[in-house]
Amino acid sequence: MPAAAGSPPVAWRVADGPVPYEEALAFMDARVAAIAEGRAPELVWLLEHPPLYTAGTSARDADLVEPDRFPVFRSGRGGQYTYHGPGQRVAYVMLDLNRRTPDLRRFVAALEAWLILTLEAFNIRGERREDRVGVWVRRPDKGEGVEDKIAAIGIRVRRWVTFHGVSLNVEPDLTHFSGIVPCGVTQHGVTSLVDLGLPVTMADADVALRAAFEEVFGPTERE
């Protein structure tokens, strides 16, 4: 899903430390407006959040199993409940689909392709599923037919500029997911790169994410 010919590279930013969720939302609101008005380039922002739960527009109250465990935020993105916290790489993707293809299904498919390519760098086979969003890995070590989610997707679009984005589990505390029904899916679990036995650092993941992003969406430039 590359941009139109002549478009500038996508800005690429990596946060140094944990970013409070409300601060991230305020930043995205301002940046999306600037992109839509032609005052700023597209941006991918990589960060980590302190432990928290977010509720998308389809979130069901019953899926918040432990409401007092971590702060809960209504995010405005699509989807249900998800967890963010240390060891999880969140990538907020602010792209102008007017310069690409104004098609949300195609955009979500491109995000899935990006994550699957990222996982290939670590010899992990990520897969998409027609009946549930995100990227999944088969876990035959846990039993026949068992799958775990390794990456989540939740987006919002304003004036055809995207925001929110994806999260990849590098080495989060997987017990933190037990306070919710992640993305409303009860029959499958969650995993991470380290849980799969790979000694991957956040820096390793960032290198793979950037290379795969450029393959799917086009060139980037450090901001």
Side-chain angles (χ1 to χ4, degrees):
M1 202 178 198
S7 296
V10 176
W12 193 266
R13 176 184 293 189
V14 182
D16 291 331
V19 178
Y21 192 70
E22 290 171 311
E23 181 181 316
L25 290 181
F27 176 88
M28 282 193 288
D29 278 340
R31 185 63 174 246
V32 165
I35 294 169
E37 293 164 10
R39 296 184 286 106
E42 298 174 301
L43 173 68
V44 173
W45 186 20
L46 302 186
L47 53 81
E48 292 174 87
H49 284 305
L52 57 92
Y53 297 130
T54 69
T57 54
S58 303
R60 298 176 296 213
D61 290 344
D63 288 344
L64 183 59
V65 180
E66 297 181 41
D68 300 322
R69 187 170 184 182
F70 297 125
V72 180
F73 296 91
R74 300 281 169 181
S75 69
R77 59 160 173 79
Q80 301 184 35
Y81 278 103
T82 194
Y83 164 78
H84 294 313
Q88 182 191 69
R89 178 51 90 206
V90 174
Y92 287 132
V93 182
M94 289 158 266
L95 299 183
D96 186 354
L97 297 187
N98 290 300
R99 305 180 197 174
R100 298 171 184 273
T101 305
D103 182 325
L104 291 185
R105 283 174 178 254
R106 187 169 173 185
F107 176 60
V108 171
L111 293 176
E112 291 173 336
W114 172 29
L115 291 165
I116 289 168
L117 276 173
T118 300
L119 293 171
E120 282 181 6
F122 304 106
N123 294 313
I124 294 174
R125 182 181 176 182
E127 300 180 7
R128 64 187 78 192
R129 293 289 176 262
E130 291 299 323
D131 59 338
R132 52 189 195 268
V133 176
V135 176
W136 303 79
V137 294
R138 298 175 188 262
R139 298 302 303 272
D141 53 311
K142 291 185 174 182
E144 186 177 353
V146 177
E147 298 180 350
D148 284 342
K149 191 172 197 174
I150 194 167
I153 297 173
I155 63 164
R156 191 174 177 183
V157 176
R158 184 181 296 153
R159 295 169 63 185
W160 285 112
V161 178
T162 69
F163 56 126
H164 296 279
V166 306
S167 58
L168 174 66
N169 295 333
V170 180
E171 192 179 8
D173 184 338
L174 295 178
T175 66
H176 289 180
F177 286 89
S178 65
I180 57 171
V181 178
C183 302
V185 178
T186 57
Q187 67 270 41
H188 300 288
V190 291
T191 190
S192 68
L193 291 168
V194 171
D195 182 53
L196 292 172
L198 297 164
V200 176
T201 67
M202 194 65 74
D204 296 332
D206 288 351
V207 169
L209 280 163
R210 188 171 183 180
F213 180 91
E214 292 187 335
E215 190 167 338
V216 175
F217 292 100
T220 63
E221 184 174 75
R222 193 67 180 260
E223 183 173 85

